[in-house]
């Protein structure tokens, strides 16, 4: 209910706060929306986009800016074409940016559509990005992050803090992460690297490739899982954990100094790393597991 009220209020305020411009020439150019807000040290920013490509950039402290571009080129007969809806709302250090794709377009001919949402944020931020069918890219920032896409890849570099990623159908690439990471994809490969305090990776169909750098630790249990694909995990030599790795259809390739604790069979391994610790769980239904050192 609160989310609905926010959007409804944003529609009213958007008429005053958002502005669009159109460049003209031999054919209509992209429609543009630009907005800038002054904020305190760590703003709370929410981006909602239907089918747009969302790009998050690192900028100066005390300011949040949004630049949205929509371009539509068409050939032949277009029926029911409408305009995109862009709404900005600002309340204190909370900012909502909503970009809705035009609906009900029928085409007899051809169509080219390009919808991008560029948001520039201070170094420290609480950020939520939700996209229906579009990619999300994020530059190095620190704080708390939530990325959700229905059908689109998520790519982020240099995030520090807590990161939660979910996509229905898309690849996830996260590198140089520092902190806690949880990532889910229904169908896609997943690659993650960094210094982790917590790690929880899962894909329904695709391989998982994770590299835990020096300084990583199991503040709580770690979990890596795929329904159909291989799992590769690289860890520093001094990490302490209770390893529980199992595959239904594949083999386990171990390149770690493991002290056997229970059993080591072709499809499962339980063992201690550096005396044991929190559980390190690895599962794949159809694929192999590789364990190696990252240092």
């Amino acid at each position: 209910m609160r989310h609905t009220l926010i959007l409804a209020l944003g529609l009213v305020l958007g008429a005053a706060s958002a502005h669009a411009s159109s460049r003209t020439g031999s054919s209509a150019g992209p429609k543009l929306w630009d907005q800038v807000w002054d904020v305190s040290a760590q703003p709370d920013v929410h981006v909602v986009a239907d089918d747009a490509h969302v790009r998050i950039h690192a900028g100066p402290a005390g300011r949040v800016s949004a630049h949205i571009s929509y371009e539509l080129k068409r050939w032949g007969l277009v029926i029911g074409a409408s305009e995109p809806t862009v709404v900005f709302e600002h309340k204190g250090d909370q900012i909502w940016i909503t970009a809705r794709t035009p609906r009900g377009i029928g085409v007899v001919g051809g169509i080219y559509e390009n919808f991008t949402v560029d948001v520039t944020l201070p170094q420290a931020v609480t950020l939520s990005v939700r996209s229906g069918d579009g990619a999300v890219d994020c530059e190095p920032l620190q704080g708390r992050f939530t990325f959700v896409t229905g059908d689109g890849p998520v790519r982020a570099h240099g995030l520090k803090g807590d990161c939660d990623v979910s996509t229905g159908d898309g690849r996830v690439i996260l590198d140089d992460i520092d902190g806690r990471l949880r990532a889910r994809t229904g169908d896609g490969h997943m690659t993650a690297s960094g210094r982790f305090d917590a790690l929880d990776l899962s894909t329904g169909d695709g391989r998982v490739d994770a590299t835990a750098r020096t300084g990583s630790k199991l503040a709580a249990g770690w979990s890596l899982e795929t329904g159909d694909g291989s799992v590769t995990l690289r860890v520093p030599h001094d990490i302490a954990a209770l390893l529980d790795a199992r595959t239904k259809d594949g083999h386990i390739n171990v390149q770690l100094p493991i002290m056997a604790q229970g059993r080591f069979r072709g499809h499962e391994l339980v063992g201690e790393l550096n005396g044991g610790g929190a559980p390190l769980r690895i599962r794949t239904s159809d694929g192999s597991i590789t364990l190696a050192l990252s240092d």
Side-chain angles (χ1 to χ4, degrees):
M1 176 61 76
R2 180 175 179 273
H3 187 59
T4 302
L5 291 175
I6 288 172
L7 292 179
L9 178 59
L11 290 172
V12 176
L13 298 180
S17 62
H19 64 277
S21 61
S22 177
R23 298 172 181 170
T24 59
S26 57
S27 61
K31 296 181 180 297
L32 304 176
W33 293 261
D34 290 280
Q35 191 74 14
V36 178
W37 300 270
D38 292 327
V39 295
S40 67
Q42 184 164 338
D44 183 5
V45 179
H46 302 260
V47 181
V48 179
D50 286 337
D51 300 336
H53 182 183
V54 180
R55 300 181 296 200
I56 306 297
H57 310 278
R63 174 168 293 189
V64 172
S65 64
H67 174 77
I68 300 176
S69 173
Y70 178 80
E71 184 176 13
L72 177 66
K73 295 180 180 179
R74 55 200 182 190
W75 303 267
L77 177 63
V78 179
I79 303 172
S82 60
E83 297 293 327
T85 301
V86 174
V87 177
F88 299 137
E89 185 187 5
H90 176 211
K91 182 178 180 181
D93 286 328
Q94 291 184 313
I95 294 171
W96 292 268
I97 301 168
T98 304
R100 299 293 188 189
T101 307
R103 298 300 183 188
I105 299 179
V107 181
V108 180
I111 186 171
Y112 166 79
E113 189 177 35
N114 184 29
F115 202 6
T116 58
V117 176
D118 288 284
V119 182
T120 302
L121 303 171
Q123 187 63 42
V125 67
T126 299
L127 173 65
S128 171
V129 178
R130 299 180 182 275
S131 172
D133 183 7
V136 176
D137 288 282
C138 188
E139 295 180 359
L141 295 166
Q142 65 182 39
R144 187 175 184 85
F145 308 93
T146 302
F147 302 121
V148 179
T149 74
D151 183 6
V154 177
R155 299 174 289 256
H157 169 75
L159 299 182
K160 184 175 182 179
D162 290 351
C163 187
D164 195 325
V165 177
S166 177
T167 173
D169 183 3
R171 186 168 184 172
V172 176
I173 303 175
L174 307 165
D175 64 273
D176 199 20
I177 306 300
D178 187 350
R180 304 170 65 89
L181 173 61
R182 177 183 181 274
R184 297 279 187 273
T185 177
D187 183 3
H189 301 317
M190 185 175 295
T191 303
S193 67
R195 191 208 65 80
F196 302 116
D197 296 316
L199 186 63
D200 187 355
L201 306 178
S202 175
T203 174
D205 184 2
R207 68 177 180 271
V208 176
D209 191 316
T211 301
R213 302 296 184 190
T214 301
S216 296
K217 60 182 183 295
L218 278 74
W222 288 11
S223 176
L224 294 85
E225 183 171 0
T226 175
D228 184 4
S230 62
V231 177
T232 299
L233 174 63
R234 304 170 192 87
V235 296
H237 71 279
D238 59 351
I239 199 163
L242 175 59
L243 176 65
D244 182 356
R246 308 185 191 195
T247 173
K248 291 184 179 179
D249 186 7
H251 64 274
I252 299 177
N253 178 27
V254 181
Q255 304 168 19
L256 295 173
I258 297 178
M259 180 182 297
Q261 182 196 30
R263 57 188 178 275
F264 185 8
R265 301 171 183 168
H267 298 292
E268 58 185 63
L269 167 63
V270 175
E272 292 183 347
L273 299 178
N274 295 302
L280 170 53
R281 178 181 178 273
I282 303 175
R283 296 288 189 274
T284 173
S285 296
D286 185 6
S288 298
I289 297 173
T290 299
L291 301 166
L293 292 176
S294 62
D295 58 1

